Amino acid sequence: MISMSNIVKHFGDKTVLHDISFSVAPKEVFGLLGPSGAGKTTIINILAKQLDADGGKAEIGAKPLEVGLMLEEDGLYTRLTCAENLNLFAGIYGLPKTKVTETLESVGLADAAKKPVNKLSQGMRKRLALARAIIHTPKVLFLDEPTANLDPTTAAGIHRLIKNLCEGGTTVFLTTHNMEEAVDLCNNVALLDKGVIVEYGPPHDICKKHDSFKTVPDLGAVFIKLTGNKEVQA
C-alpha cells in the first residue's frame, strides 16, 4: 500500500534522508520511530506529495481523495466551531452532514460540536484534527505524532480509534518518538536516526533480536543500543 525505495532528501548542503527503503502492507499499522529531527516528518511530506525527494521512488496505493492527513500543524480554522470545521471537509468529499456528527462522536467531541476551535484544549484540538483526517474513511491515513503531549486517557482513546480504523480496512502510517506506543499499535516499525533506518520489523522481533525482551518489549533500550541517542521516550 505504501513504499519507499532508496529515497534521498537534501536541504541545502545537509542530507536529511539517506537511502530510505521500506514497505507497508494494506491494513497495517506502520510506525516510524525516532527523536525530533530524525527525518520522520520529511518522510511523511514526501509520501503526501508535499515535498519532492532528490532521489529514489515513493508510492502510495490510494488516490489523493482516499488519503487522510494529520500533521504537526493542524491547520484548523480557529474561529469556526468543531462542526463547522468538519462541515467544510464533508462538503469537499460530498458527504452528508450526518457524517460530521458521527465522526465527532467517534473522537469524543460530540458535546463540543458548537465550540470554537480557539476555545478547545490541546487534546481536543488533536482529536478534532484526527476527526478531519478520518471523516471520509480514508484507505491510507498519515498521523504525525498523533498523541504527542496528550494525557494518558486521551492518548488511549486515540489508540483505540486507530485500531478500529485498521480493522475497518485503513492502512495507518504514524510517526512517534514514544516507544511504548509503537509496541502497542504497530505491526512493523522502522527506527530512524539522523535520516537513516537503523532497524526494521515487528517490534517484538526487534526487541528479541537485540536481547532487550525483559518483562515487556523495550524498543527504547534497543534504539539507545543501536544509536547512542537517548532522546526517545522509553
Side-chain angles (χ1 to χ4, degrees):
M1 184 60 74
I2 302 171
S3 67
M4 274 192 157
S5 301
N6 310 114
I7 290 291
V8 176
K9 180 63 183 176
H10 310 286
F11 288 126
D13 295 332
K14 184 179 180 180
T15 302
V16 294
L17 296 178
H18 304 260
D19 197 28
I20 299 295
S21 298
F22 60 83
S23 61
V24 184
K27 301 182 183 180
E28 179 179 338
V29 181
F30 175 83
L32 186 62
L33 283 63
S36 298
K40 304 188 300 296
T41 301
T42 301
I43 287 176
I44 280 190
N45 285 336
I46 290 172
L47 286 169
K49 309 299 183 184
Q50 296 188 1
L51 274 178
D52 292 326
D54 296 313
K57 187 176 182 181
E59 295 182 304
I60 300 177
K63 299 174 183 178
L65 289 180
E66 296 175 331
V67 176
L69 291 168
M70 178 184 172
L71 303 180
E72 184 177 4
E73 296 295 328
D74 60 40
L76 296 169
Y77 296 98
T78 58
R79 294 186 180 182
L80 299 183
T81 66
C82 294
E84 288 169 341
N85 268 271
L86 293 196
N87 275 325
L88 289 173
F89 285 85
I92 291 171
Y93 294 116
L95 300 173
K97 289 187 177 181
T98 54
K99 188 65 175 177
V100 171
T101 302
E102 175 187 321
T103 307
L104 286 172
E105 288 176 351
S106 74
V107 298
L109 289 176
D111 292 340
K114 296 182 179 180
K115 194 170 187 176
V117 170
N118 58 17
K119 301 294 184 181
L120 299 179
S121 67
Q122 183 180 37
M124 294 172 77
R125 282 188 67 139
K126 282 264 190 179
R127 282 184 279 156
L128 182 59
L130 179 58
R132 186 185 61 188
I134 66 173
I135 191 170
H136 59 306
T137 315
K139 287 178 64 175
V140 176
L141 177 61
F142 290 99
L143 303 174
D144 193 4
E145 301 200 7
T147 61
N149 303 315
L150 296 185
D151 64 87
T153 300
T154 302
I158 289 178
H159 286 183
R160 287 192 297 272
L161 183 55
I162 290 171
K163 291 175 182 178
N164 289 339
L165 287 166
C166 286
E167 290 175 3
T170 299
T171 301
V172 177
F173 182 111
L174 68 88
T175 71
T176 183
H177 57 270
N178 186 322
M179 301 296 165
E180 290 182 357
E181 177 171 77
V183 171
D184 179 48
L185 287 177
C186 299
N187 302 104
N188 288 289
V189 299
L191 306 186
L192 186 72
D193 185 52
K194 299 176 182 177
V196 176
I197 292 178
V198 297
E199 189 58 274
Y200 170 84
H204 288 70
D205 290 355
I206 291 174
C207 290
K208 288 180 179 179
K209 176 181 176 181
H210 294 278
D211 300 320
S212 294
F213 205 128
K214 300 172 185 176
T215 56
V216 293
D218 190 349
L219 276 175
V222 171
F223 193 93
I224 292 170
K225 177 180 179 181
L226 291 172
T227 68
N229 194 329
K230 298 181 180 180
E231 294 180 26
V232 293
Q233 294 179 15

